[in-house]
Amino acid sequence: MKRKSIIPGFGLSFGITIAILSLVVLIPLCSLVVFTASLSPEEFIYTVTRPRVLSGYFVSISTALIASLVNVVMGLILAWVLVRYDFPGKRFLDGIIELPFALPTAVAGISLTHMTTTNGWVGSVFYDLFGIKIAYTRLGITIALIFIGIPFVVRSVQPVLEKIDIQYEEAAMILGADRVMTFSKVILPEIMPALISGFTLAFARCIGEYGSVVFIAGNTPYETEIAPLLIMSELQEFDYPAATSIALVMLAIAFVILSVNAVIQSRVAKRVSGLA
């Protein structure tokens, strides 16, 4: 006897879901393969391994990695403060965490560049006191990516912290654990999957970020030129096969990152459930 589905109309809804997914995601991504197919394998390898392109990959990945690691620490602290403490302006702070989601990236880039130049509010202080230039350097790119990526970590960790019963921490302290041990043995295993998820989402977003970075980067070849800018440069020269080839490599990098995230999250979740 065939069992009826709990959710009525599954066949129709599933078909609509696949159709929308194909139109919005699969077909645009397949266009990258179509344009890239006009190149021979030798031309494709040459296009994506040119020294300038390799430098763009390195700048994008290295700054995104540093920014995401910083966001893990800062995002955890922000999520902890928002969950565990009550203070005036808490709701306002909780709301502006999502500002990078709503703010146009070009506006963020212009604002950050204005503040971090040698004549800006922040940039002048660092330059006059320490001789450090922020704008038009890799440091400036990293700061812009921190601004863009931190909401992913906060919003990933915050719901998990809210669900952790404080009685577990109290029990650990009663049994003799100090604060460091309580955090490392009780809290950290619970939030680790969320931290990994937030880090990976921020990392993947930062690698492909363009609007907020292009203004503050300075776009100096082999120094501060990011991979998305190289794609735009190729498009402006109407070299669509080269642009799509670089984009295809960036897509592959993002796919690998998300796949590794899924594997790590699965293993961490199984380990945590086994310890529970």
Side-chain angles (χ1 to χ4, degrees), residues 74-120:
M74 293 179 57
L76 175 58
I77 294 174
L78 280 172
W80 183 274
V81 170
L82 290 174
V83 171
R84 294 301 179 94
Y85 300 100
D86 291 320
F87 52 89
K90 177 179 177 179
R91 291 186 177 180
F92 174 75
L93 179 61
D94 191 26
I96 65 173
I97 291 296
E98 297 178 351
L99 184 62
F101 286 151
L103 190 68
T105 54
V107 176
I110 294 173
S111 302
L112 291 171
T113 304
H114 179 71
M115 287 194 305
T116 56
T117 58
T118 53
N119 297 324

Side-chain angles (χ1 to χ4, degrees), residues 10 13 30 41 45 56 65 68 70-72 90 100 103 126 128 139-140 168 170 177 198 214 229 231 238 245 271:
F10 172 76
S13 60
C30 289
I45 294 175
L65 178 61
S68 300
V70 173
N71 279 335
V72 167
K90 177 179 177 179
L103 190 68
F126 279 84
D128 294 338
L139 177 60
Y168 293 116
E170 295 174 349
V214 67
L229 179 63
I231 297 174
F238 301 100
S245 297
R271 184 179 301 177

Side-chain angles (χ1 to χ4, degrees), residues 165-268:
D165 194 339
I166 198 172
Q167 292 182 356
Y168 293 116
E169 302 171 41
E170 295 174 349
M173 291 183 178
I174 291 174
L175 294 174
D178 56 13
R179 293 185 177 181
V180 175
M181 184 176 293
T182 301
F183 177 81
S184 62
K185 299 297 184 181
V186 178
I187 301 175
L188 188 59
E190 294 289 335
I191 65 174
M192 182 58 70
L195 276 176
I196 295 173
S197 176
F199 168 80
T200 309
L201 292 174
F203 188 32
R205 167 64 190 276
C206 290
I207 286 180
E209 181 61 25
Y210 173 77
S212 61
V213 175
V214 67
F215 295 98
I216 200 172
N219 309 318
T220 304
Y222 301 100
E223 291 293 334
T224 59
E225 191 174 43
I226 57 176
L229 179 63
L230 291 171
I231 297 174
M232 292 300 299
S233 299
E234 298 291 353
L235 289 175
Q236 290 174 355
E237 296 175 3
F238 301 100
D239 192 350
Y240 296 110
T244 53
S245 297
I246 301 173
L248 189 62
V249 173
M250 297 296 291
L251 175 63
I253 293 173
F255 180 78
V256 169
I257 292 172
L258 295 177
S259 299
V260 171
N261 168 59
V263 173
I264 294 176
Q265 274 195 309
S266 176
R267 292 184 177 180
V268 172

